[in-house]
Amino acid sequence: MAVIETFGLSRNFGKTIAVEDVTLAVEAGEVLGFLGPNGAGKTTTIRMLAGMIAPTEGYAIVAGHRTDRDMEQLHEMVGMLTQTPGLYDRLSARRNLQYFASFYPSVESQSQVEKYLKLMGLWERRDSKAGTFSKGMKQRLALARALVHEPKVLFLDEPTAGLDPEAAGEVRQLIRTLREEGRTVFLSTHNLNEAEMLCSRIAVIHTRLLALDTPEQLRRRFFRRQIIVQLEASDAKVMEVVKSLPFVQEARGEGSQLILELTDLERNRPELVKAIVEAGGRVIGVSEKQYPLEDVYLKLIREESGNES
Amino acid sequence: MSRRRIRTILLKEWVLLFTDLNSALVVTLLPFLVVGQGILYIWLAFRFAGESMLAASVFQTALQKLVEAMPGVIQLPGQEQLLVLLLSQFNFFLLLIPTMIAISVATFSIVDEKLSGSLEALLATPVKTWELLLGKALAGAIPALLMTWLSGGVFLLVALALGWGHLIGYVVTARWFLTLFLLTPAVAILSFMLGVAGSARAKDPRGAQNTALLIILPVFALIGIQITGVVWFTPLLILLLALAIGIADFVTLRAAVRLFRRESIVVQWR
Ligand SMILES: Nc1ncnc2c1ncn2[C@@H]1O[C@H](COP(=O)(O)OP(=O)(O)OP(=O)(O)O)[C@@H](O)[C@H]1O
Ligand SMILES: [Mg+2]
């Protein structure tokens, strides 16, 4: 069942088109990565989905509510981590949480505040002012705030941006916990590795939605699969033999490596190795070329920019 | 629900207000500075410049209007007539207090929250923006009113202590009460709403305050108009003035509510 659904969602700011015609669906319990460069419209989309601004065209349904109509009910169902933690520096961690918790009618704020302070490892520091916290602690407190009313749907706007690797790791671990609890998470990020680690599917946005798929499928779609044969040394004769094989579609040499495209990457492999060995080639290893998701992403964005100009 | 929320907002605003030294000083000390300064000027004028002021034609006209309004004054010696005239300015002078406090609280509580990003986080909760606005307005208006009334009381006590007790009857009249209990709340609301408007665009509290503090000019104008005898504010005039400001309150309130919508805050307050 889709928990987040958008239909031609668009938003302009005067003449600037921030988001255009985004149609997507996020299933219950899914962690969706929402990727895009600066100014791609990630925050704008999240704000529309969280019922903070209205779309100029199209609409969205989140947790069964139109985001531009039933805002009050919507706000009870969703949690939001804004791009900046936005805490009251002169209030204690506990007071910060209590204040926000008090706006949800059905929340037992005392116990919820305690639960999340403990979960985020802030219980010992509960009476310290938020202003004295490190960046990572602030982010965890902001996460606690987004969770204090047990929302089904969470919008996280770049939750690990600006954190050191350890703090970012902690936040990622928390997102995994959320996933295990079956919450639906809409995770905006610049970080592809992060998206790949945490998300079942990845949406790439650059004003328009460029792609929405599993990381694996995205790779397949943008890069033909290639095989790398590592030889002891480069060998012109071997290259010639390889090129003449019927199932080799493309071949090039890179130093002592052969990079090949085959008709069937799995089934042609033994034949290939046999032919190379018979031609006198000494094979050290055979592996599939791995394209980092980064390359997929850059390719998508470049293609998009190319279309524009 | 709304009542509980508004109370929560109000209390949180006060905690933040009184843990910020600057704001706490504005609310607690400024009223006494205003009163102290006002009395000092009056005392100095009365003590050292009374003769020459009495001779000045501006004050002659003003005194004339004062006597028309309160014939009993004519029986006082000339010096004391002047003193009554000066003390009678105090009701308008007190208007500076709600103005400054309301503006200071509004800009402080909104700009701070806007810059830190907490306002945006708040807008993702079910809180209604009018609840937020009302909570913040009360957080500013309550201390503004209390401090104004307190200052009025302090002023009377000091006047007594200076041996001006027999003149108080001429000062604490219908004008005095109308100013304190009608004009003061109306001015406080107007100041707060101007503070909200100033906060929308401002990059820091000071910028917001500069915009909003323009309202102080009309307050000074009121004092100027009265002390120079251009117009003597009768109770009826004060009532009309309060009514006019009440209308201005209503207009700015509507503008502020619109300015304080989720959409506007997120999109326009940058
Ligand atoms: N309130 C606004 N008024 C005018 N233009 C805006 C507003 N908010 C966003 N924009 C514009 O809309 C576009 C998308 O902005 P948005 O903040 O959604 O991008 P983003 O993907 O979140 O970027 P980043 O990675 O930098 O956070 C940008 O061109 C931005 O300038
Ligand atoms: Mg953003």
mmCIF file of all heavy atoms in Angstrom, chain A residues 24-65:
data_model
loop_
_atom_site.group_PDB
_atom_site.id
_atom_site.type_symbol
_atom_site.label_atom_id
_atom_site.label_comp_id
_atom_site.label_asym_id
_atom_site.label_seq_id
_atom_site.Cartn_x
_atom_site.Cartn_y
_atom_site.Cartn_z
ATOM 1 N N LEU A 24 5.092 10.011 -8.047
ATOM 2 C CA LEU A 24 5.774 8.849 -7.479
ATOM 3 C C LEU A 24 4.932 8.255 -6.366
ATOM 4 O O LEU A 24 3.974 8.870 -5.894
ATOM 5 C CB LEU A 24 7.172 9.217 -6.962
ATOM 6 C CG LEU A 24 7.338 10.332 -5.939
ATOM 7 C CD1 LEU A 24 6.982 9.865 -4.537
ATOM 8 C CD2 LEU A 24 8.786 10.808 -5.931
ATOM 9 N N ALA A 25 5.287 7.061 -5.965
ATOM 10 C CA ALA A 25 4.596 6.412 -4.862
ATOM 11 C C ALA A 25 5.620 5.737 -3.971
ATOM 12 O O ALA A 25 6.590 5.156 -4.455
ATOM 13 C CB ALA A 25 3.600 5.385 -5.386
ATOM 14 N N VAL A 26 5.443 5.863 -2.673
ATOM 15 C CA VAL A 26 6.336 5.210 -1.724
ATOM 16 C C VAL A 26 5.497 4.238 -0.907
ATOM 17 O O VAL A 26 4.452 4.601 -0.371
ATOM 18 C CB VAL A 26 6.998 6.240 -0.793
ATOM 19 C CG1 VAL A 26 8.009 5.555 0.110
ATOM 20 C CG2 VAL A 26 7.671 7.343 -1.607
ATOM 21 N N GLU A 27 5.965 2.995 -0.861
ATOM 22 C CA GLU A 27 5.206 1.963 -0.163
ATOM 23 C C GLU A 27 5.384 2.070 1.350
ATOM 24 O O GLU A 27 6.402 2.590 1.825
ATOM 25 C CB GLU A 27 5.685 0.581 -0.628
ATOM 26 C CG GLU A 27 5.451 0.309 -2.092
ATOM 27 C CD GLU A 27 3.979 0.387 -2.484
ATOM 28 O OE1 GLU A 27 3.154 -0.238 -1.781
ATOM 29 O OE2 GLU A 27 3.650 1.068 -3.468
ATOM 30 N N ALA A 28 4.431 1.524 2.073
ATOM 31 C CA ALA A 28 4.532 1.504 3.532
ATOM 32 C C ALA A 28 5.778 0.727 3.931
ATOM 33 O O ALA A 28 6.061 -0.337 3.383
ATOM 34 C CB ALA A 28 3.292 0.849 4.127
ATOM 35 N N GLY A 29 6.531 1.263 4.863
ATOM 36 C CA GLY A 29 7.716 0.579 5.361
ATOM 37 C C GLY A 29 8.937 0.734 4.481
ATOM 38 O O GLY A 29 9.990 0.182 4.769
ATOM 39 N N GLU A 30 8.812 1.502 3.423
ATOM 40 C CA GLU A 30 9.940 1.684 2.522
ATOM 41 C C GLU A 30 10.797 2.873 2.983
ATOM 42 O O GLU A 30 10.296 3.843 3.535
ATOM 43 C CB GLU A 30 9.393 1.965 1.108
ATOM 44 C CG GLU A 30 10.462 1.969 0.054
ATOM 45 C CD GLU A 30 9.912 2.128 -1.366
ATOM 46 O OE1 GLU A 30 8.669 2.253 -1.521
ATOM 47 O OE2 GLU A 30 10.723 2.147 -2.289
ATOM 48 N N VAL A 31 12.102 2.762 2.744
ATOM 49 C CA VAL A 31 12.967 3.931 2.916
ATOM 50 C C VAL A 31 13.346 4.386 1.521
ATOM 51 O O VAL A 31 14.042 3.689 0.800
ATOM 52 C CB VAL A 31 14.233 3.597 3.727
ATOM 53 C CG1 VAL A 31 15.118 4.828 3.858
ATOM 54 C CG2 VAL A 31 13.861 3.079 5.108
ATOM 55 N N LEU A 32 12.840 5.523 1.137
ATOM 56 C CA LEU A 32 13.110 6.014 -0.210
ATOM 57 C C LEU A 32 14.192 7.090 -0.156
ATOM 58 O O LEU A 32 14.090 8.047 0.603
ATOM 59 C CB LEU A 32 11.845 6.610 -0.836
ATOM 60 C CG LEU A 32 12.068 7.128 -2.258
ATOM 61 C CD1 LEU A 32 11.888 6.012 -3.264
ATOM 62 C CD2 LEU A 32 11.154 8.287 -2.599
ATOM 63 N N GLY A 33 15.222 6.898 -0.964
ATOM 64 C CA GLY A 33 16.270 7.911 -1.055
ATOM 65 C C GLY A 33 15.848 8.962 -2.060
ATOM 66 O O GLY A 33 15.380 8.629 -3.144
ATOM 67 N N PHE A 34 16.002 10.230 -1.678
ATOM 68 C CA PHE A 34 15.575 11.313 -2.554
ATOM 69 C C PHE A 34 16.812 12.149 -2.848
ATOM 70 O O PHE A 34 17.271 12.924 -2.020
ATOM 71 C CB PHE A 34 14.502 12.129 -1.840
ATOM 72 C CG PHE A 34 13.650 12.955 -2.749
ATOM 73 C CD1 PHE A 34 12.940 12.367 -3.774
ATOM 74 C CD2 PHE A 34 13.547 14.327 -2.561
ATOM 75 C CE1 PHE A 34 12.134 13.128 -4.613
ATOM 76 C CE2 PHE A 34 12.748 15.090 -3.390
ATOM 77 C CZ PHE A 34 12.036 14.485 -4.414
ATOM 78 N N LEU A 35 17.345 11.922 -4.034
ATOM 79 C CA LEU A 35 18.651 12.464 -4.365
ATOM 80 C C LEU A 35 18.570 13.584 -5.375
ATOM 81 O O LEU A 35 17.782 13.516 -6.314
ATOM 82 C CB LEU A 35 19.475 11.341 -5.003
ATOM 83 C CG LEU A 35 20.621 10.826 -4.191
ATOM 84 C CD1 LEU A 35 20.060 9.934 -3.118
ATOM 85 C CD2 LEU A 35 21.588 10.081 -5.063
ATOM 86 N N GLY A 36 19.418 14.564 -5.219
ATOM 87 C CA GLY A 36 19.472 15.617 -6.220
ATOM 88 C C GLY A 36 20.516 16.627 -5.817
ATOM 89 O O GLY A 36 20.822 16.759 -4.638
ATOM 90 N N PRO A 37 21.066 17.360 -6.804
ATOM 91 C CA PRO A 37 22.075 18.364 -6.478
ATOM 92 C C PRO A 37 21.435 19.548 -5.754
ATOM 93 O O PRO A 37 20.228 19.584 -5.572
ATOM 94 C CB PRO A 37 22.612 18.784 -7.847
ATOM 95 C CG PRO A 37 21.520 18.460 -8.805
ATOM 96 C CD PRO A 37 20.787 17.293 -8.242
ATOM 97 N N ASN A 38 22.252 20.519 -5.360
ATOM 98 C CA ASN A 38 21.724 21.724 -4.710
ATOM 99 C C ASN A 38 20.693 22.398 -5.594
ATOM 100 O O ASN A 38 20.886 22.520 -6.796
ATOM 101 C CB ASN A 38 22.853 22.726 -4.442
ATOM 102 C CG ASN A 38 23.741 22.259 -3.294
ATOM 103 O OD1 ASN A 38 24.949 22.195 -3.438
ATOM 104 N ND2 ASN A 38 23.139 21.922 -2.196
ATOM 105 N N GLY A 39 19.603 22.795 -4.994
ATOM 106 C CA GLY A 39 18.575 23.510 -5.746
ATOM 107 C C GLY A 39 17.725 22.614 -6.619
ATOM 108 O O GLY A 39 16.976 23.082 -7.469
ATOM 109 N N ALA A 40 17.797 21.285 -6.389
ATOM 110 C CA ALA A 40 17.053 20.356 -7.241
ATOM 111 C C ALA A 40 15.571 20.312 -6.890
ATOM 112 O O ALA A 40 14.764 19.805 -7.667
ATOM 113 C CB ALA A 40 17.654 18.960 -7.116
ATOM 114 N N GLY A 41 15.238 20.837 -5.718
ATOM 115 C CA GLY A 41 13.832 20.822 -5.318
ATOM 116 C C GLY A 41 13.523 19.791 -4.248
ATOM 117 O O GLY A 41 12.357 19.476 -4.001
ATOM 118 N N LYS A 42 14.548 19.287 -3.573
ATOM 119 C CA LYS A 42 14.317 18.284 -2.530
ATOM 120 C C LYS A 42 13.532 18.870 -1.358
ATOM 121 O O LYS A 42 12.504 18.338 -0.963
ATOM 122 C CB LYS A 42 15.661 17.732 -2.008
ATOM 123 C CG LYS A 42 16.513 17.074 -3.072
ATOM 124 C CD LYS A 42 17.786 16.490 -2.480
ATOM 125 C CE LYS A 42 18.732 17.532 -1.906
ATOM 126 N NZ LYS A 42 19.305 18.452 -2.895
ATOM 127 N N THR A 43 14.049 19.977 -0.828
ATOM 128 C CA THR A 43 13.380 20.591 0.319
ATOM 129 C C THR A 43 11.971 21.045 -0.054
ATOM 130 O O THR A 43 11.023 20.857 0.704
ATOM 131 C CB THR A 43 14.221 21.775 0.849
ATOM 132 O OG1 THR A 43 15.503 21.278 1.216
ATOM 133 C CG2 THR A 43 13.575 22.430 2.036
ATOM 134 N N THR A 44 11.845 21.620 -1.234
ATOM 135 C CA THR A 44 10.525 22.073 -1.676
ATOM 136 C C THR A 44 9.543 20.903 -1.741
ATOM 137 O O THR A 44 8.404 21.008 -1.286
ATOM 138 C CB THR A 44 10.637 22.745 -3.056
ATOM 139 O OG1 THR A 44 11.584 23.809 -2.964
ATOM 140 C CG2 THR A 44 9.306 23.299 -3.511
ATOM 141 N N THR A 45 9.993 19.776 -2.277
ATOM 142 C CA THR A 45 9.121 18.597 -2.343
ATOM 143 C C THR A 45 8.732 18.143 -0.944
ATOM 144 O O THR A 45 7.554 17.893 -0.657
ATOM 145 C CB THR A 45 9.839 17.441 -3.071
ATOM 146 O OG1 THR A 45 10.282 17.917 -4.342
ATOM 147 C CG2 THR A 45 8.907 16.263 -3.264
ATOM 148 N N ILE A 46 9.717 18.062 -0.070
ATOM 149 C CA ILE A 46 9.429 17.613 1.299
ATOM 150 C C ILE A 46 8.444 18.559 1.970
ATOM 151 O O ILE A 46 7.507 18.132 2.636
ATOM 152 C CB ILE A 46 10.744 17.497 2.101
ATOM 153 C CG1 ILE A 46 11.488 16.247 1.641
ATOM 154 C CG2 ILE A 46 10.459 17.442 3.591
ATOM 155 C CD1 ILE A 46 12.739 15.939 2.418
ATOM 156 N N ARG A 47 8.643 19.851 1.755
ATOM 157 C CA ARG A 47 7.719 20.808 2.375
ATOM 158 C C ARG A 47 6.300 20.635 1.857
ATOM 159 O O ARG A 47 5.334 20.801 2.593
ATOM 160 C CB ARG A 47 8.192 22.231 2.116
ATOM 161 C CG ARG A 47 9.371 22.605 2.981
ATOM 162 C CD ARG A 47 9.931 23.937 2.565
ATOM 163 N NE ARG A 47 10.914 24.427 3.519
ATOM 164 C CZ ARG A 47 11.665 25.489 3.302
ATOM 165 N NH1 ARG A 47 11.538 26.163 2.165
ATOM 166 N NH2 ARG A 47 12.533 25.879 4.207
ATOM 167 N N MET A 48 6.178 20.299 0.588
ATOM 168 C CA MET A 48 4.833 20.061 0.051
ATOM 169 C C MET A 48 4.245 18.794 0.644
ATOM 170 O O MET A 48 3.069 18.743 0.991
ATOM 171 C CB MET A 48 4.880 19.953 -1.475
ATOM 172 C CG MET A 48 5.067 21.292 -2.158
ATOM 173 S SD MET A 48 4.775 21.187 -3.927
ATOM 174 C CE MET A 48 6.303 20.515 -4.513
ATOM 175 N N LEU A 49 5.081 17.760 0.778
ATOM 176 C CA LEU A 49 4.576 16.490 1.294
ATOM 177 C C LEU A 49 4.224 16.581 2.773
ATOM 178 O O LEU A 49 3.335 15.886 3.250
ATOM 179 C CB LEU A 49 5.617 15.382 1.081
ATOM 180 C CG LEU A 49 5.904 15.038 -0.383
ATOM 181 C CD1 LEU A 49 6.947 13.935 -0.475
ATOM 182 C CD2 LEU A 49 4.626 14.610 -1.092
ATOM 183 N N ALA A 50 4.923 17.452 3.495
ATOM 184 C CA ALA A 50 4.654 17.591 4.923
ATOM 185 C C ALA A 50 3.589 18.653 5.196
ATOM 186 O O ALA A 50 3.380 19.040 6.338
ATOM 187 C CB ALA A 50 5.946 17.933 5.663
ATOM 188 N N GLY A 51 2.952 19.131 4.137
ATOM 189 C CA GLY A 51 1.852 20.081 4.337
ATOM 190 C C GLY A 51 2.287 21.436 4.838
ATOM 191 O O GLY A 51 1.560 22.102 5.556
ATOM 192 N N MET A 52 3.492 21.871 4.472
ATOM 193 C CA MET A 52 3.933 23.187 4.915
ATOM 194 C C MET A 52 3.761 24.235 3.843
ATOM 195 O O MET A 52 3.573 25.410 4.149
ATOM 196 C CB MET A 52 5.386 23.116 5.358
ATOM 197 C CG MET A 52 5.510 22.203 6.564
ATOM 198 S SD MET A 52 7.174 21.791 6.935
ATOM 199 C CE MET A 52 7.740 23.375 7.485
ATOM 200 N N ILE A 53 3.858 23.833 2.596
ATOM 201 C CA ILE A 53 3.529 24.747 1.502
ATOM 202 C C ILE A 53 2.638 23.999 0.515
ATOM 203 O O ILE A 53 2.649 22.770 0.477
ATOM 204 C CB ILE A 53 4.783 25.307 0.782
ATOM 205 C CG1 ILE A 53 5.606 24.181 0.167
ATOM 206 C CG2 ILE A 53 5.631 26.118 1.721
ATOM 207 C CD1 ILE A 53 6.778 24.689 -0.664
ATOM 208 N N ALA A 54 1.882 24.754 -0.255
ATOM 209 C CA ALA A 54 0.948 24.126 -1.187
ATOM 210 C C ALA A 54 1.605 23.973 -2.549
ATOM 211 O O ALA A 54 2.437 24.798 -2.939
ATOM 212 C CB ALA A 54 -0.302 24.983 -1.300
ATOM 213 N N PRO A 55 1.267 22.924 -3.279
ATOM 214 C CA PRO A 55 1.764 22.812 -4.651
ATOM 215 C C PRO A 55 1.070 23.849 -5.530
ATOM 216 O O PRO A 55 -0.047 24.268 -5.221
ATOM 217 C CB PRO A 55 1.373 21.405 -5.076
ATOM 218 C CG PRO A 55 0.422 20.895 -4.067
ATOM 219 C CD PRO A 55 0.431 21.783 -2.875
ATOM 220 N N THR A 56 1.742 24.280 -6.603
ATOM 221 C CA THR A 56 1.056 25.164 -7.537
ATOM 222 C C THR A 56 0.246 24.344 -8.542
ATOM 223 O O THR A 56 -0.702 24.838 -9.122
ATOM 224 C CB THR A 56 2.052 26.090 -8.281
ATOM 225 O OG1 THR A 56 3.272 25.385 -8.484
ATOM 226 C CG2 THR A 56 2.340 27.314 -7.472
ATOM 227 N N GLU A 57 0.686 23.096 -8.730
ATOM 228 C CA GLU A 57 -0.093 22.187 -9.565
ATOM 229 C C GLU A 57 0.058 20.775 -9.033
ATOM 230 O O GLU A 57 1.054 20.459 -8.385
ATOM 231 C CB GLU A 57 0.420 22.226 -11.010
ATOM 232 C CG GLU A 57 -0.506 22.969 -11.966
ATOM 233 C CD GLU A 57 0.118 23.040 -13.341
ATOM 234 O OE1 GLU A 57 0.014 22.056 -14.068
ATOM 235 O OE2 GLU A 57 0.739 24.087 -13.649
ATOM 236 N N GLY A 58 -0.921 19.938 -9.333
ATOM 237 C CA GLY A 58 -0.855 18.569 -8.856
ATOM 238 C C GLY A 58 -1.168 18.492 -7.373
ATOM 239 O O GLY A 58 -1.479 19.508 -6.743
ATOM 240 N N TYR A 59 -1.067 17.298 -6.819
ATOM 241 C CA TYR A 59 -1.333 17.145 -5.392
ATOM 242 C C TYR A 59 -0.627 15.912 -4.871
ATOM 243 O O TYR A 59 -0.052 15.136 -5.646
ATOM 244 C CB TYR A 59 -2.838 17.069 -5.125
ATOM 245 C CG TYR A 59 -3.524 15.862 -5.721
ATOM 246 C CD1 TYR A 59 -3.772 14.725 -4.954
ATOM 247 C CD2 TYR A 59 -3.924 15.860 -7.045
ATOM 248 C CE1 TYR A 59 -4.409 13.620 -5.497
ATOM 249 C CE2 TYR A 59 -4.553 14.753 -7.601
ATOM 250 C CZ TYR A 59 -4.796 13.633 -6.826
ATOM 251 O OH TYR A 59 -5.407 12.538 -7.370
ATOM 252 N N ALA A 60 -0.672 15.760 -3.563
ATOM 253 C CA ALA A 60 -0.034 14.605 -2.946
ATOM 254 C C ALA A 60 -0.933 14.065 -1.847
ATOM 255 O O ALA A 60 -1.675 14.816 -1.219
ATOM 256 C CB ALA A 60 1.321 15.002 -2.364
ATOM 257 N N ILE A 61 -0.870 12.759 -1.660
ATOM 258 C CA ILE A 61 -1.595 12.131 -0.558
ATOM 259 C C ILE A 61 -0.574 11.422 0.316
ATOM 260 O O ILE A 61 0.202 10.602 -0.162
ATOM 261 C CB ILE A 61 -2.645 11.133 -1.089
ATOM 262 C CG1 ILE A 61 -3.691 11.902 -1.881
ATOM 263 C CG2 ILE A 61 -3.290 10.371 0.062
ATOM 264 C CD1 ILE A 61 -4.740 11.021 -2.514
ATOM 265 N N VAL A 62 -0.558 11.802 1.581
ATOM 266 C CA VAL A 62 0.393 11.204 2.512
ATOM 267 C C VAL A 62 -0.401 10.657 3.694
ATOM 268 O O VAL A 62 -1.213 11.377 4.286
ATOM 269 C CB VAL A 62 1.425 12.247 2.989
ATOM 270 C CG1 VAL A 62 2.301 11.668 4.088
ATOM 271 C CG2 VAL A 62 2.302 12.698 1.818
ATOM 272 N N ALA A 63 -0.173 9.391 4.010
ATOM 273 C CA ALA A 63 -0.889 8.726 5.109
ATOM 274 C C ALA A 63 -2.395 8.935 4.985
ATOM 275 O O ALA A 63 -3.087 9.125 5.976
ATOM 276 C CB ALA A 63 -0.382 9.230 6.461
ATOM 277 N N GLY A 64 -2.877 8.921 3.761
ATOM 278 C CA GLY A 64 -4.312 9.015 3.540
ATOM 279 C C GLY A 64 -4.869 10.430 3.546
ATOM 280 O O GLY A 64 -6.080 10.613 3.451
ATOM 281 N N HIS A 65 -4.011 11.441 3.654
ATOM 282 C CA HIS A 65 -4.505 12.821 3.686
ATOM 283 C C HIS A 65 -3.940 13.645 2.545
ATOM 284 O O HIS A 65 -2.749 13.567 2.259
ATOM 285 C CB HIS A 65 -4.139 13.492 5.010
ATOM 286 C CG HIS A 65 -4.734 12.819 6.198
ATOM 287 N ND1 HIS A 65 -6.073 12.868 6.481
ATOM 288 C CD2 HIS A 65 -4.167 12.047 7.162
ATOM 289 C CE1 HIS A 65 -6.318 12.164 7.577
ATOM 290 N NE2 HIS A 65 -5.175 11.649 8.008
#
